[in-house]
């Protein structure tokens, strides 16, 4: 059975189905599960979620930016650019946002590449803050060097536009830059960069039913881990406490009524402290 410091773990500490829990400040990891992540080993393309639950998609590459999606196990997404951050690897999605391919500590593979990069003709939206980069050109460059010498003929003044005929320039390090032809409007048949390594993605693909308007932060996140402290588990280990746990586990309405009555009493009468407690 499972042990901690040589002591057996009681059966009741096992998590509910579909959950994980731990009883220390950190969760043990399998060091060396994969080599330190290198972005060149993760070229753009189709990626599938291999984490057993889900992977977070954040607004930007920053790990503290808001979460806008959580694709679940075996979901396939299109990654147009990958970058290495410390030991972790994150990818920018064609529909917007950044997804973790390798965990920040470099130990856990969250996504696996399952196909080459394919960019589809569709309506695209200029990303917030990328407007000045949505420059229009007469043609698509054949090389990066050629692009550096090209002069733009204008800047898009619309937020959404139809793009097609994508051209991908791939570098030796597997990174890509993407260009497309404009369909309709003032710059019909002209060309724009969709992704430049110097600035990242300039457009995001609009997928019906997913991001007709820019996705907002997820309000209620799924709880991935349950942290159980000894002060929690004592309610199961102590036979007198356990009687109450089992009673409320069988009758949630009873729990609500008893908790409501106790909480109301607390808010009305207040709390003056325990005997011998000094309150300053």
């Amino acid at each position: 059975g499972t042990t901690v410091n040589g002591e057996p773990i009681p059966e009741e500490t096992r998590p509910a189905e579909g959950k994980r829990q731990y009883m220390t400040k950190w969760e043990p990891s399998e060091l060396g599960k994969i080599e330190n992540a290198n972005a060149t080993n993760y070229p753009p393309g189709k990626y599938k979620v291999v984490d057993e639950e889900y992977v977070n998609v954040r607004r930007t590459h920053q790990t503290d930016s808001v979460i806008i999606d959580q694709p679940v196990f075996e979901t396939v997404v299109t990654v147009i650019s990958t970058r290495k951050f410390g030991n972790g690897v994150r990818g920018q999605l064609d529909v917007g946002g950044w997804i973790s391919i390798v965990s920040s500590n470099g130990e856990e593979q969250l996504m696996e590449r399952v196909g080459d990069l394919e960019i589809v003709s569709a309506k695209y939206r200029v990303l917030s803050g990328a407007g000045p980069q949505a420059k229009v050109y007469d043609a698509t460059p054949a090389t990066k060097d050629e692009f550096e010498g090209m002069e733009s003929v204008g800047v898009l003044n619309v937020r959404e536009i139809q793009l097609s005929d994508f051209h991908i320039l791939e570098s030796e390090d597997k990174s890509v830059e993407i260009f497309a032809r404009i369909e309709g409007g003032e710059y019909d048949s002209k060309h724009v960069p969709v992704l430049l390594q110097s600035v990242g993605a300039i457009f995001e693909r609009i997928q019906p039913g997913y991001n007709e308007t820019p996705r907002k932060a997820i309000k209620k996140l799924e709880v991935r881990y349950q942290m159980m402290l000894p002060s929690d588990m004592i309610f199961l280990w102590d036979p007198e406490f356990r009687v109450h746990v089992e009673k409320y586990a069988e009758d949630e309405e009873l729990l609500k009524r008893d908790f409501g009555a106790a909480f109301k009493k607390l808010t009305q009468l207040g709390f003056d402290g325990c005997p011998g407690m000094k309150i300053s």
Side-chain angles (χ1 to χ4, degrees), residues 203-245:
F203 294 85
E204 64 181 6
R205 179 171 62 84
I206 299 175
Q207 180 172 308
Y210 179 76
N211 63 344
E212 287 96 335
T213 59
R215 289 185 65 84
K216 298 180 180 180
I218 296 176
K219 293 182 179 180
K220 184 177 181 181
L221 299 180
E222 179 182 344
V223 177
R224 186 170 184 178
Y225 300 108
Q226 294 174 290
M227 181 176 177
M228 307 300 288
L229 300 173
S231 56
D232 299 317
M233 299 311 304
I234 193 64
F235 287 98
L236 289 179
W237 295 337
D238 185 276
E240 294 185 12
F241 285 148
R242 187 176 186 122
V243 171
H244 301 288
V245 172

Side-chain angles (χ1 to χ4, degrees), residues 50-125:
V50 295
D51 183 88
E52 62 185 15
E53 296 180 70
Y54 61 85
V55 179
N56 289 329
V57 175
R58 297 185 180 273
R59 177 86 67 201
T60 73
H61 67 276
Q62 300 288 348
T63 56
D64 59 354
S65 67
V66 297
I67 297 172
I68 59 174
D69 195 13
Q70 291 180 320
V72 298
F73 179 63
E74 292 193 334
T75 299
V76 176
V77 298
T78 298
V79 174
I80 58 176
S81 178
T82 60
R83 300 292 178 94
K84 184 181 179 190
F85 299 90
N87 288 330
V89 173
R90 300 179 201 126
Q92 194 165 20
L93 302 180
D94 67 330
V95 290
W98 287 77
I99 194 166
S100 293
I101 297 174
V102 177
S103 61
S104 297
N105 57 15
E107 297 173 16
E108 187 175 1
Q109 181 91 35
L110 305 174
M111 313 276 294
E112 72 174 11
R113 193 173 187 271
V114 294
D116 294 332
L117 178 62
E118 297 178 3
I119 309 295
V120 299
S121 299
K123 182 176 286 187
Y124 284 74
R125 177 189 299 116

